[in-house]
Amino acid sequence: MSPADKDRFITSLKQIPYAETLGVKPLFMGDNFTLVLPFKESNIGNPILPALHGGAIGGFMEIAAVAQILLDHPEEGIAKTIGINIDYLRRGKPQDCYACAKITRHGRRIVNVNVEVWQDRPDTPIAAFHGHFLIQKK
Amino acid sequence: MEQGTLEFLWELAPKFIAGTPHSAKLGIEFLSIDIGRATLRLPYSHKLSGNAKSRVVHGGVVTALLDQASGLAAVSAFNPISAVATLNLSIDYMRAATPGKTIIGQASSYKVTRDIAFIRGIAHDGDETDPIAISQATFMHTGDIQNYKLETQEATP
C-alpha cells in the first residue's frame, strides 16, 4: 500500500463520525492493515461482568467490513449495508479488540464479507460476522 | 406473580439502560417494557452518523439499539426473569434512517425455551410500516437477575 493510499484511507475513516465515537483506529503492518477498537469505558455493555457491548462489537465489525471494501476498491465509494449476521462467541473483555476482514466475493453490485474480532489471540475470536453490502460503481 | 414481575421490570429496566455505559454514550433511552417485550428510543446525534456529509446514522448504531432492546425483551421473557448473553444477532437494513429523526427500537419474544429466548426486533423512525431495519436474535439464559439487581445497585453510586 502506497503512503498516498494509506492517507486516503485514514481520511475516509475520519469521515465516519460513528467510528470516532467508538474510538476505532487503523493499524498498518507493511501491506496489511487491521482495525483496532482500543478499550474505552463507554463501549462497556455489562459493567458487572464486565463485558463489551454487543452493539459496539457489531458496529466495529461493520466498519471493518466497509473499510476493507473501500481499501480493495477505493473507486466504489462507501458500501451500503444490506444485511448482517453476528455470532457472539466469547465475552468481550475490557481490553482492545482487533478485526480481521475477508472479502468472500466482490461482485458487480454485491460484496460479501466475513469479519472476525479477537482480543488475546486470532484463533480465539470473540465474535464472527458476515454481511452483504451494496456498492455503486462510479 | 406476574404483577410483581412487571413492577420489578419497570423499576429495573430504566436503571439497566442508564447503567449500561455504551447505551448511555449513544444516548439510548428507555420507553417501555412488558413480559417478553421492550421499546427503546435513540434521539439523533451527529456523532452517530456514518457519513459526515449525508448525516445518516451508521448501521452499527441501529445494531446497538436493536441488540439492547432485544436483550431487554429476552431478560423479561424468562420466568423468572434472567440475565442473558447474546448468541446471535441478524439484521436486515431496509433503508437509511432519516437524519435528525429519533429512532425507535422495539423487540418482542416469540419463543422461550428453558435456555434460549428467540427475539424479533424492528427499528423505525415513527412509522412501523416503513422500517429502517428488522432483526432476529437468540439469547441464552445466564443466571438469576435478583443478584444482578443487587450488584447493579452497588455498582451505581
Side-chain angles (χ1 to χ4, degrees):
Chain A
M1 191 188 302
S2 76
D5 286 344
K6 214 184 266 189
D7 284 348
R8 204 165 27 238
F9 181 69
I10 293 170
T11 311
S12 355
L13 208 59
K14 280 197 180 132
Q15 281 160 3
I16 311 175
Y18 174 63
E20 196 91 349
T21 304
L22 284 181
V24 174
K25 299 242 175 336
L27 183 68
F28 295 95
M29 293 163 298
D31 273 352
N32 293 322
F33 111 100
T34 187
L35 276 187
V36 191
L37 181 67
F39 173 66
K40 243 177 131 176
E41 196 65 41
S42 62
N43 286 339
I44 291 278
N46 182 329
I48 292 148
L49 285 173
L52 295 176
H53 198 284
I57 299 170
F60 175 52
M61 292 193 282
E62 194 179 325
I63 292 170
V66 171
Q68 191 66 52
I69 298 170
L70 190 68
L71 206 59
D72 285 14
H73 293 265
E75 73 284 359
E76 283 167 359
I78 301 277
K80 284 184 182 164
T81 313
I82 304 169
I84 62 161
N85 191 307
I86 306 167
D87 280 334
Y88 293 97
L89 309 170
R90 293 178 174 84
R91 171 174 72 96
K93 292 180 282 189
Q95 58 193 56
D96 297 356
C97 293
Y98 300 88
C100 173
K102 212 174 268 169
I103 292 177
T104 41
R105 178 166 193 264
H106 201 123
R108 204 163 50 84
R109 286 191 297 165
I110 306 294
V111 189
N112 298 72
V113 191
N114 284 327
V115 182
E116 284 189 355
V117 167
W118 56 276
Q119 293 187 312
D120 296 322
R121 296 155 56 96
D123 59 357
T124 54
I126 61 160
F129 163 111
H130 63 98
H132 41 290
F133 298 84
L134 182 69
I135 45 165
Q136 254 114 32
K137 294 222 158 118
K138 282 176 190 163
Chain B
M1 165 63 197
E2 189 158 293
Q3 191 55 39
T5 306
L6 257 184
E7 275 170 23
F8 178 55
L9 282 172
W10 273 88
E11 192 192 325
L12 177 78
K15 287 183 199 158
F16 181 77
I17 299 302
T20 301
H22 191 59
S23 292
K25 171 83 177 179
L26 299 181
I28 294 175
E29 297 166 359
F30 169 79
L31 270 186
S32 71
I33 190 155
D34 201 344
I35 306 292
R37 281 176 179 278
T39 307
L40 305 175
R41 73 168 162 209
L42 177 57
Y44 181 80
S45 157
H46 178 72
K47 68 173 187 222
L48 305 179
S49 62
N51 185 320
K53 277 181 216 140
S54 74
R55 297 171 58 239
V56 168
V57 167
H58 194 279
V61 176
V62 179
T63 305
L65 177 67
L66 285 171
D67 182 41
Q68 189 75 65
S70 302
L72 197 54
V75 164
S76 68
F78 285 107
N79 185 14
I81 60 171
S82 162
V84 298
T86 319
L87 294 181
N88 176 272
L89 174 65
S90 169
I91 305 181
D92 286 331
Y93 297 92
M94 272 80 187
R95 64 171 177 90
T98 314
K101 276 197 170 176
T102 292
I103 304 173
I104 310 287
Q106 288 172 298
S108 59
S109 142
Y110 60 94
K111 175 72 184 171
V112 192
T113 68
R114 196 185 56 180
D115 296 308
I116 308 292
F118 298 84
I119 311 287
R120 253 185 217 120
I122 173 172
H124 62 86
D125 49 19
D127 179 5
E128 268 184 66
T129 64
D130 184 21
I132 296 165
I134 299 267
S135 68
Q136 139 75 50
T138 46
F139 291 84
M140 186 175 64
H141 180 294
T142 59
D144 197 341
I145 200 93
Q146 305 296 335
N147 299 330
Y148 186 88
K149 183 200 177 194
L150 291 174
E151 288 173 49
T152 311
Q153 284 172 344
E154 277 164 27
T156 316

